[in-house]
Amino acid sequence: MLQSCQNGGMATARTRRSPRRTDALSRERIVEAAVELLDTAGEGGLTFRALTERLATGPGAIYWHVANKDELLDAATDAVVAAALAAECLEPPKPTKRADPTKPTKPAESPDSPQDKIRAIAFGLFDAIEDHPWLPTQLALQLSRSPWGSVTPRIFESVGRQVRALGVPEGHWFTAASALVHYILGAAGQNAANNASARTLAPGVDRAQFLDAASKAWQELDPDDYPFIHAVAAQMREHDDREQFLAGIDVVLTGITALHLPGERGRT
Amino acid sequence: MLQSCQNGGMATARTRRSPRRTDALSRERIVEAAVELLDTAGEGGLTFRALTERLATGPGAIYWHVANKDELLDAATDAVVAAALAAECLEPPKPTKRADPTKPTKPAESPDSPQDKIRAIAFGLFDAIEDHPWLPTQLALQLSRSPWGSVTPRIFESVGRQVRALGVPEGHWFTAASALVHYILGAAGQNAANNASARTLAPGVDRAQFLDAASKAWQELDPDDYPFIHAVAAQMREHDDREQFLAGIDVVLTGITALHLPGERGRT
DNA sequence: TCCAGCTTTGGAACGCCGCTCCATGATGGA
DNA sequence: TCCATCATGGAGCGGCGTTCCAAAGCTGGA
């Protein structure tokens, strides 16, 4: 039934307004669709036109639930980050399939020490970024746009609790948590960029080949202008992402414990 | 003389092409204009239309020198970062007006130690970001887009040389430099975001008032969900940017020396 | 001196985007 | 039953990055 054409004389032969949707639109459903679009079509794939098509609606309906595109991107970012942090907070016991605990952790650490929890949080974000290559860009944009938005407190809170649990005196909480958060987001983001670029530039090429090419590019820089880059190019090719990421976290953690826990000189 | 209308039947009465410019266009002049536009009109102010007006030309002329907008943004970012790093490398002796050396540096450090040079590099980027609020966003975008581009090697090289000078064994160069670079870019970027937001949201309001408001917003978060945020809100209001930034760098530096320089346990 | 061929310029136009506006359809209280 | 309100979807606007191309200078060989 194509509906009764009650207004015959209208100038615009409005193709009869499509019947109203039965399944209600909601901010949640919109954000969900946005995340899927970002995942499948990339950062540039999230378009209000693509969104209207996927949700079988018009722009107006979407704008009724969401103020603008920035807010939509923020909401999508927040949703993914919240899920990542929640997942890591709830399942610390079981050794996940991704975190490879081959590397011997420091000996004097209890299994659920704050250090371990911080590593779990970091890897949670690391994995989320790997699953959603658009995440680091949006995180950076959101940190620049509104540092007090919803995402920043979320991450700071998760990391900060463990900083407190470490025994860091209150006066240094902000410094310690900042150092951790900035390192985690920066390193995870750059790593994801490597993966994403490998995928984008040559779909068939795997990570190793890509890193090989990038390493070679670095080695071809003028050794006079870039002696250090030249030297670390080899390391870059061989490095293991997660191991390297963990090593960086340990650097920051060691710095925190050494500087802010005068009682426990040295490591851990 | 309105031109010899050789093609009489042409539909377009081309209003006589404007005479050719005397001052040659060049990639450098375009990048320079782009930086100025970004500085004065903000991130959204850099438009090919605005650029054509400022350079009194058409899009085609610009596209002759620059492939696309991304390349232009990368070039602008690279130019600013190169200037910042060059400035810091050339003038380490004189205590700059900005870096306030009231805080007593660690005693056992020579005046031009690698640590000091790293701090100088960091503050160079910190200042550049303060002068160009669009920089952190572009840095993040460029790190995500092409980590092996021109900017990343530049920063890595500057920091990496000092890491090497610290005596870090070669196997840990990449880890140590990464930790430093990620912290520096992340913290400087977030700090700039605070300043920029303070300016944007209320032009008359100064930084202190803004941080006051942001701190209050954090304090109003549910203490049950965000106990840590709630607790550090006060610190956020009182903190001094550069001091905090320096403290974070020292955390990472301490971690590097403690973990990777077994000979020199403890600090510096 | 002239002209062919190259580089460089500026402007018109294209397709897509975020976003606004508004007529319409549903809904629930009076 | 009627109406105020919520919610929807489509048409369209202004602006963006980008492309295309005719024209204008330049350069060197005849």
Side-chain angles (χ1 to χ4, degrees), chain B residues 146-201:
Chain B
S146 58
W148 56 91
S150 54
V151 173
T152 313
R154 232 188 257 285
I155 300 177
F156 251 79
E157 178 66 33
S158 291
V159 173
R161 287 185 191 179
Q162 304 312 319
V163 165
R164 193 178 50 184
L166 270 178
V168 173
E170 183 164 358
H172 297 304
W173 283 358
F174 194 81
T175 302
S178 293
L180 277 169
V181 168
H182 290 312
Y183 173 75
I184 291 171
L185 292 184
Q190 174 139 17
N191 190 74
N194 285 336
N195 294 348
S197 300
R199 270 181 247 128
T200 303
L201 292 183

Side-chain angles (χ1 to χ4, degrees), chain A residues 179 182-188 190-191 194 218 228-229 232 235-236 239 241 243-249 251-252, chain B residues 118 143 152 155-157 159-161 163 168 171-186 252 256 260:
Chain A
H182 290 312
Y183 173 75
I184 291 171
L185 292 183
Q190 175 139 15
N191 190 74
N194 284 337
W218 276 23
F228 179 81
I229 293 291
V232 295
Q235 294 185 44
M236 191 177 81
H239 87 219
D241 289 338
E243 200 176 323
Q244 189 93 48
F245 185 56
L246 202 62
I249 292 174
V251 164
V252 180
Chain B
I118 288 175
L143 288 197
T152 313
I155 300 177
F156 251 79
E157 178 66 33
V159 173
R161 287 185 191 179
V163 165
V168 173
H172 297 304
W173 283 358
F174 194 81
T175 302
S178 293
L180 277 169
V181 168
H182 290 312
Y183 173 75
I184 291 171
L185 292 184
V252 181
I256 291 174
H260 298 318

Side-chain angles (χ1 to χ4, degrees), chain A residues 45-255:
Chain A
L46 178 54
T47 301
F48 270 85
R49 283 169 167 74
L51 209 51
T52 55
E53 190 176 359
R54 174 177 267 260
L55 293 173
T57 179
I62 296 178
Y63 275 93
W64 177 259
H65 298 274
V66 167
N68 52 39
K69 194 180 181 183
D70 279 352
E71 192 186 294
L72 180 56
L73 282 168
D74 285 359
T77 306
D78 194 49
V80 171
V81 167
L85 292 178
E88 283 311 315
C89 288
L90 294 182
E91 42 176 85
K94 61 177 173 184
T96 70
K97 57 185 185 300
R98 306 179 92 153
D100 181 18
T102 51
K103 210 67 183 175
T105 55
K106 308 257 180 55
E109 241 174 58
S110 67
D112 265 355
S113 64
Q115 281 95 337
D116 271 342
K117 288 187 184 168
I118 288 175
R119 293 188 193 109
I121 294 169
F123 275 115
L125 289 171
F126 190 91
D127 291 340
I129 287 179
E130 243 179 8
D131 291 340
H132 310 283
W134 48 273
L135 196 55
T137 303
Q138 289 310 316
L139 276 172
L141 286 178
Q142 188 162 350
L143 288 196
S144 294
R145 200 185 304 132
S146 56
W148 56 93
S150 55
V151 175
T152 314
R154 231 188 260 284
I155 301 177
F156 251 79
E157 179 67 32
S158 292
V159 173
R161 287 185 190 179
Q162 304 311 320
V163 165
R164 195 179 49 184
L166 270 177
V168 173
E170 183 165 358
H172 297 304
W173 282 358
F174 193 82
T175 303
S178 293
L180 277 169
V181 169
H182 290 312
Y183 173 75
I184 291 171
L185 292 183
Q190 175 139 15
N191 190 74
N194 284 337
N195 294 348
S197 300
R199 269 181 249 129
T200 303
L201 291 184
V205 178
D206 71 342
R207 232 195 89 80
Q209 290 175 271
F210 166 74
L211 277 184
D212 218 61
S215 163
K216 221 166 264 166
W218 276 23
Q219 270 175 328
E220 277 163 10
L221 287 174
D222 186 346
D224 290 336
D225 289 344
Y226 293 93
F228 179 81
I229 293 291
H230 208 258
V232 295
Q235 294 185 44
M236 191 177 81
R237 179 169 49 242
E238 299 162 8
H239 87 219
D240 174 87
D241 289 338
R242 308 180 86 85
E243 200 176 323
Q244 189 93 48
F245 185 56
L246 202 62
I249 292 174
D250 281 352
V251 164
V252 180
L253 279 177
T254 302

